[in-house]
Amino acid sequence: SLSGGQRQISYFLSGGLDQNRDNLVRNGLSRATLHATTTYHPTRPLDISVGLTYTNSTQKENNTGAAQINSGGGKGLYPYAQIADANGNPLPIVRDYNSSYVAAADTSGLLDWHYRPLQDLRNADYSFGTEDMRINTNVTYRLNDWLNVQALYQFEHQTVTANDLQ
């Protein structure tokens, strides 16, 4: 942050950058924030202040965790299920259909029906971005030491964009 000024005008400027890492791979939050306020004191009893806050963030939520991997039909993942081989390559697990039925899809000319949760995690691309701008204005007039008249106004505009590619 940075602040300064003189008798008739003062300013405050601050910025922040966050790089939050999640405990699950492919999840996290990046955020940049900028805040600026200028206060003008044209006369002793009058203060005019204008502030601007801008925030831009991107959050990724590609990993729902092991609890979301299941065998289908609302059943949890069976014990000792192996989702990767020794080299880290994704392995299929049984889900929704028996393994012989899924294997027959390939011979019938259909696409691969095997469920590979690790491959789904690698292919997922779900993110949403938020851009937020807020403007504050404040006019204060001091009538005496214990009484002020104040007018406040705030305007905010926010845009949220989501992308979900599977």
Side-chain angles (χ1 to χ4, degrees), residues 108-131:
S108 301
L110 299 173
L111 294 175
D112 185 4
W113 282 17
H114 288 97
Y115 173 56
R116 295 176 181 88
L118 190 58
Q119 187 65 42
D120 283 356
L121 171 62
R122 291 176 182 169
N123 290 341
D125 188 7
Y126 177 63
S127 64
F128 56 95
T130 304
E131 189 174 55

Side-chain angles (χ1 to χ4, degrees), residues 56-71:
N56 189 328
S57 64
T58 301
Q59 185 161 356
K60 295 186 177 287
E61 293 184 3
N62 295 307
N63 191 342
T64 57
Q68 298 301 317
I69 300 173
N70 62 61
S71 305

